[in-house]
Amino acid sequence: MTEATELRWLVIDGYEDEPAAFGVPPYVGFHVRYVCGVLERHRLPYLYLTVDQWRRMERQQPDEMAHLLKHALGVVCVAGAVVPGKYLRGTPISLNETQQLLRSVPSGLPVLMGGWAIRGWRQQGWQPLRPNLFLAVQDTDATLDRFLNTGEWNHRRRTAEQWTAWAHAGAASLAVRAHPDLHGVHGPGPLTFEVEVYQGCVRYKRGCKFCIEPKKGVPLWRTPEDIIEEVRLAHEAGVQHVRLGGMTDTYTYMAEGVRELEYPIPNPEPIAQLLHGLRDDERLSLLHTDNGNPSIIAEHLEPAEAITKTLVETLSDGAVLSFGLESADPSVHEANWLNCDPAQLKSAVRLVNKHGRVRGERGLPKLLPGLNFIAGLNGETDATYGMNLALLNDLRNDGLLLRRINIRQVEGEGFQPVPEAAFASFKATVRDTIDGPLLEELFPLGQRLSEVHWEAHDGRTRLPVHLTETHTSPEVHGRAGVTFGRQLGAYPILIGASYLIPLETVSDVIVTGHGARSITGLEVDLNPWTMTEKQLAAVPGIGAKSAWSLVAARAKASRKRGAAAPFEDVERWFAAAKVPLTPLCSVVMKNG
Ligand code: SF4
């Protein structure tokens, strides 16, 4: 940090959260990095704060916050989610908080607000009145650049040259170097660098009616070299994990015939160049991507297969390709100009399963499709949900795997009311008969999953107190409580452990149980002579009573043997406690 009295811009990262633009920690979004890139290029001093850091300062150091604002040259805030949902590690700035931020900024100071949430709140009628405040509806970075050059606020779009310049400057900016997730409490942090690969959708002439992507016109690609250079700069700044976002379809990156063809032809070369180019840098650890267009895959199986193989070779396991089917009902398909029909979907799901279902080093299938449904599309009837369910059953009867089924309800202009009873029954049936069995197949009991980052205690949301020693110290390990964590990457499964694990540490687990949308896990390689009663009770087949007997037998033996290990091996320990040794003990206990 620079001196607190130095005049500087204040950038507040309100976390973007779009399917193709992840920015909620551990992700750092690209739009806020471009804003920092503009300030870097103008050589202006600035401070980057996540909205969580701002919240903490507002609560715990209000004087310091007021001091920062008093000495600010201006404030930029990128707000990313119109209605923030439920998050584990950080929550996007809300409208109330945005208003609170505006009230705290000294009058007349330049304030620029941008991001999807600002556009959404404006459309809903939000019109804050204050001098020198500008709500960007185009590119926040280009708007800031224009203001810094001319002193005037105007809506602006970035040029291709500016895109590259600000992406590269942003990769080494404070949005990365000062991000709280770059360096963790116990070693490298989980920061994941979201990259914008391109903008727009190949269906720009006649795209899905509910979608805004077609309005962006002909897709704008960034070249593999440009992206690889951005990621190289991020590695220099300490980044290890990357997700390729900003892609409406991984398969049509630099596709052929985008202007002429209804189904442009996938081009395996540039995506291979990009993915292998990124992999060639040994500093890269996790690499994921997102979104595939099933109709493109189905219509061009040969090049799509080449791309699928490249994805499986280069991505980290657990990668998901979200497929937007939205509805299996042909009338809904027609009324909304949807992207793919059930036959195309099945063909695409089959291809991805063929290469992607094999497990990788983190214990997960390498690459699987996700499936998105939308409820509320024009033309829907009760029968629509029967067709959706029939398609899912069909896929499962063919033994095909899906990593996630996302059912989203939409409302408002351009949508129709949802047939409530049919919709509720569809959701419940999917949860019970499709999601549940899929979870058990994807994460079978006893499956080892590596590098789980532990993030919260006793609830599914990380709280400010979780960053204190009370929760991060090695001393809490094994005490009573519940710990939640996830592996890195796109759409990781939530893992719960039924005892405390120091937060912000990383460990491997085996799967010990399944919830509705989460699993329970138990760490492996634990030292049997220091395992607590809670840890022992978490081993399947042991339970609370036997855990107590084991602890009592171990304490008795320790008194006898002094500094030596209480038993020669785990077998003798279990025999002394009269507890049957379960098969999982040898996995869980280091010398068991
Ligand atoms: S295919 Fe996807 S990105 Fe393209 S218009 Fe449809 S929903 Fe939007």
Side-chain angles (χ1 to χ4, degrees):
M1 275 197 196
T2 49
E3 283 296 302
T5 44
E6 186 190 352
L7 288 177
R8 57 192 164 167
W9 280 82
L10 179 61
V11 177
I12 297 190
D13 182 354
Y15 304 152
E16 44 190 346
D17 181 30
E18 288 293 311
F22 285 8
V24 180
Y27 289 87
V28 57
F30 44 79
H31 285 128
V32 74
R33 293 201 310 268
Y34 299 166
V35 165
C36 293
V38 169
L39 293 167
E40 292 275 345
R41 297 285 295 210
H42 280 265
R43 298 184 185 282
L44 283 167
Y46 65 99
L47 178 70
Y48 166 87
L49 286 181
T50 65
V51 62
D52 280 309
Q53 289 174 315
W54 171 77
R55 286 173 182 131
R56 252 194 318 280
M57 281 185 83
E58 278 283 305
R59 242 188 338 261
Q60 296 167 5
Q61 300 157 292
D63 293 346
E64 195 173 327
M65 192 69 235
H67 184 81
L68 275 180
L69 287 167
K70 197 170 147 214
H71 292 91
L73 289 166
V75 177
V76 188
C77 175
V78 178
V82 177
V83 185
K86 278 194 184 155
Y87 301 84
L88 177 57
R89 200 173 175 84
T91 305
I93 194 165
S94 66
L95 179 55
N96 272 344
E97 287 174 322
T98 307
Q99 283 165 327
Q100 186 191 335
L101 170 67
L102 281 179
R103 281 194 298 271
S104 67
V105 177
S107 174
L109 201 67
V111 180
L112 174 63
M113 300 250 157
W116 283 108
I118 299 298
R119 285 174 236 194
W121 295 333
R122 263 177 66 122
Q123 271 167 14
Q124 290 168 5
W126 184 55
Q127 281 182 322
L129 284 177
R130 103 171 240 128
N132 222 351
L133 165 69
F134 195 74
L135 306 183
V137 294
Q138 293 184 343
D139 295 330
T140 316
D141 40 80
T143 304
L144 175 64
D145 180 66
R146 162 90 182 161
F147 177 77
L148 295 175
N149 285 330
T150 64
E152 285 169 20
W153 291 120
N154 296 106
H155 295 293
R156 274 289 181 277
R157 284 212 186 284
R158 69 184 82 92
T159 62
E161 293 70 34
Q162 288 171 331
W163 197 0
T164 297
W166 298 336
H168 290 186
S173 71
L174 292 178
V176 174
R177 288 186 286 122
H179 196 287
D181 278 344
L182 182 64
H183 302 293
V185 184
H186 301 283
L191 188 74
T192 308
F193 188 87
E194 176 85 349
V195 180
E196 188 175 31
V197 176
Y198 70 85
Q199 289 182 355
C201 171
V202 294
R203 303 190 72 229
Y204 68 99
K205 286 186 203 148
R206 194 176 188 265
C208 311
K209 276 192 183 167
F210 60 84
C211 180
I212 54 148
E213 291 296 332
K215 295 195 180 79
K216 296 181 184 169
V218 187
L220 298 171
W221 326 112
R222 292 179 66 199
T223 62
E225 295 82 5
D226 181 15
I227 297 164
I228 291 167
E229 175 61 8
E230 181 190 355
V231 175
R232 187 190 69 76
L233 292 163
H235 285 317
E236 300 279 306
V239 163
Q240 295 183 35
H241 312 296
V242 172
R243 193 189 88 123
L244 299 179
M247 281 198 278
T248 47
D249 172 24
T250 306
Y251 289 78
T252 40
Y253 172 57
M254 293 192 151
E256 290 163 23
V258 167
R259 287 173 192 267
E260 310 83 43
L261 303 173
E262 185 183 353
Y263 298 109
I265 307 163
N267 186 354
E269 273 308 308
I271 188 85
Q273 200 188 331
L274 172 60
L275 291 166
H276 285 293
L278 292 172
R279 262 290 163 232
D280 282 347
D281 194 321
E282 286 177 355
R283 293 170 293 185
L284 177 67
S285 180
L286 177 118
L287 179 62
H288 271 177
T289 177
D290 195 11
N291 292 325
N293 181 333
S295 63
I296 297 279
I297 297 174
E299 296 302 318
H300 302 289
L301 281 171
E302 209 176 297
E305 182 154 28
I307 292 178
T308 308
K309 284 184 187 167
T310 303
L311 294 173
V312 170
E313 266 167 46
T314 52
L315 298 180
S316 306
D317 56 353
V320 181
L321 276 172
S322 297
F323 286 166
L325 170 76
E326 326 306 0
S327 175
D329 183 340
S331 335
V332 179
H333 180 94
E334 221 176 287
N336 298 278
W337 302 348
L338 294 183
N339 155 51
C340 92
D341 62 34
Q344 290 170 323
L345 180 88
K346 270 202 259 179
S347 161
V349 169
R350 208 170 286 124
L351 177 72
V352 176
N353 266 256
K354 178 177 161 195
H355 297 283
R357 61 188 295 153
V358 38
R359 277 181 204 274
E361 6 182 88
R362 300 194 307 158
L364 302 167
K366 285 197 163 184
L367 175 72
L368 286 180
L371 198 46
N372 298 337
F373 287 101
I374 295 185
L377 292 174
N378 287 326
E380 261 179 35
T381 61
D382 286 8
T384 303
Y385 293 98
M387 292 183 227
N388 290 347
L389 195 59
L391 174 65
L392 285 171
N393 283 327
D394 226 17
L395 293 170
R396 292 298 289 140
N397 290 339
D398 283 354
L400 296 168
L401 293 176
L402 298 169
R403 169 58 193 92
R404 71 193 277 274
I405 299 164
N406 181 30
I407 305 169
R408 192 159 63 98
Q409 184 170 357
V410 288
E411 47 195 33
E413 209 184 317
F415 300 105
Q416 70 166 49
V418 172
E420 288 298 341
F423 178 55
S425 142
F426 170 65
K427 275 206 306 192
T429 314
V430 170
R431 193 185 54 224
D432 298 341
T433 65
I434 309 276
D435 276 340
L438 261 173
L439 206 65
E440 289 175 22
E441 206 174 329
L442 296 173
F443 305 98
L445 290 177
Q447 173 67 46
R448 185 174 177 135
L449 303 177
S450 64
E451 294 183 18
V452 179
H453 285 247
W454 300 105
E455 299 180 89
H457 278 156
D458 298 327
R460 292 168 180 226
T461 306
R462 185 167 78 150
L463 306 171
V465 70
H466 289 155
L467 290 170
T468 63
E469 265 215 28
T470 321
H471 293 267
T472 58
S473 158
E475 282 166 26
V476 306
H477 204 177
R479 289 190 191 154
V482 180
T483 310
F484 289 99
R486 297 170 296 181
Q487 291 172 294
L488 292 182
Y491 312 111
I493 188 81
L494 183 67
I495 303 171
S498 56
Y499 56 90
L500 295 188
I501 299 171
L503 296 183
E504 302 306 315
T505 60
V506 175
S507 48
D508 294 359
V509 299
I510 50 161
V511 178
T512 57
H514 300 96
R517 307 202 86 172
S518 62
I519 55 176
T520 48
L522 171 64
E523 289 168 289
V524 296
D525 296 338
L526 293 168
N527 179 348
W529 312 135
T530 56
M531 278 178 79
T532 65
E533 198 179 331
K534 291 287 170 201
Q535 286 170 314
L536 288 165
V539 181
I542 291 188
K545 209 169 145 203
S546 298
W548 191 87
S549 305
L550 284 163
V551 169
R554 190 177 61 190
K556 197 170 154 198
S558 286
R559 279 198 295 276
K560 266 197 212 153
R561 289 169 59 109
F567 292 96
E568 272 159 46
D569 51 41
V570 170
E571 284 79 6
R572 277 168 234 237
W573 175 27
F574 275 63
K578 297 190 174 52
V579 173
L581 197 61
T582 68
L584 283 181
C585 290
S586 60
V587 181
V588 173
M589 297 176 195
K590 211 187 292 178
N591 61 350

